[in-house]
């Protein structure tokens, strides 16, 4: 099992550009989530999904879109990048929301 | 508002010097408390889940305990490879985890 994979590992964008952060898991987990991690702030939930076709907002959803067309994939889209979105992004999955989450290796995003 | 506070922010120990990390929480409904370890440049790695006050879990040099208001991660005779950031997170029952800001642990040989 590869577990949770994320691509790319690093990305630099200019303000206003759009991009998609990819996340995939091969454990057949229903629950998937996206977090951002900033110094002194801890991990904050952006969006989550409890299954294919079902998504909901987390604590800091503004500026991000998600969709879940398959159990395996949960991409995160930045429609118009802003410097405030400079962060490290982690995708995670678990069988249910009450179970421990398996985290991906992260994507370090810099918006200039 | 659900809140998770970890202390200290940073801790420096000598190899073999035991200590404890604290995670205090104020949440509307506890559905599980999680401890994770995070190494620099990597994603968090699961350590323990605790569900009810009085529960304890152990793994090698680590032991996690839970009360109604806080959790402790006890590190016994730490080694340099235990150096990492330790994260605490609480499941509040709304399919969301609330994380603390972590404790950075450095164990010197």
């Amino acid at each position: 099992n590869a577990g949770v994979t994320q691509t790319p590992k690093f990305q630099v964008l200019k303000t206003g550009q759009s991009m998609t952060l990819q996340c995939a898991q091969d454990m057949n987990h229903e629950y998937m989530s996206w977090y951002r991690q900033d110094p002194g702030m801890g991990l904050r939930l952006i969006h989550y999904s409890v299954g294919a076709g079902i998504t909901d907002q987390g604590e800091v959803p503004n500026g991000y879109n998600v969709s879940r067309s398959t159990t395996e994939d949960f991409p995160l889209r930045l429609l118009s990048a802003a410097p405030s979105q400079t962060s490290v992004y982690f995708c995670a999955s678990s069988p249910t929301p009450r179970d421990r989450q398996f985290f991906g290796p992260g994507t370090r995003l810099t918006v200039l | 508002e659900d809140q998770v506070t970890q202390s200290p922010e940073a801790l420096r120990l000598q190899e073999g010097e035991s200590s404890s990390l604290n995670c205090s929480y104020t949440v509307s409904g506890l559905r599980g408390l999680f401890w994770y370890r995070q190494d620099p440049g990597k994603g968090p790695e699961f350590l323990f889940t605790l569900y009810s006050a009085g529960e304890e879990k152990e793994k090698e040099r680590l032991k996690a305990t839970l009360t109604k208001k806080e959790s402790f991660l006890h590190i016994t005779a730490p080694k340099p490879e235990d150096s990492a950031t330790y994260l605490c997170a609480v499941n509040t029952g709304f399919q969301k985890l609330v994380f603390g800001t972590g404790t950075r642990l450095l164990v010197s040989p």
Side-chain angles (χ1 to χ4, degrees), chain B residues 43-58:
Chain B
E45 180 183 334
F46 171 78
L47 292 173
F48 303 108
T49 308
L50 301 166
Y51 287 107
S52 55
E55 191 174 357
E56 299 183 351
K57 296 270 181 76
E58 278 189 77

Side-chain angles (χ1 to χ4, degrees), chain A residues 31 37 90 97-98 100-101, chain B residues 36 38 46 51 91 95:
Chain A
Y31 184 80
Q37 187 174 40
F90 290 100
R98 284 199 67 185
R100 63 166 177 160
Q101 296 198 35
Chain B
Y36 289 87
Q38 186 175 25
F46 171 78
Y51 287 107
N91 184 323
Q95 303 173 336

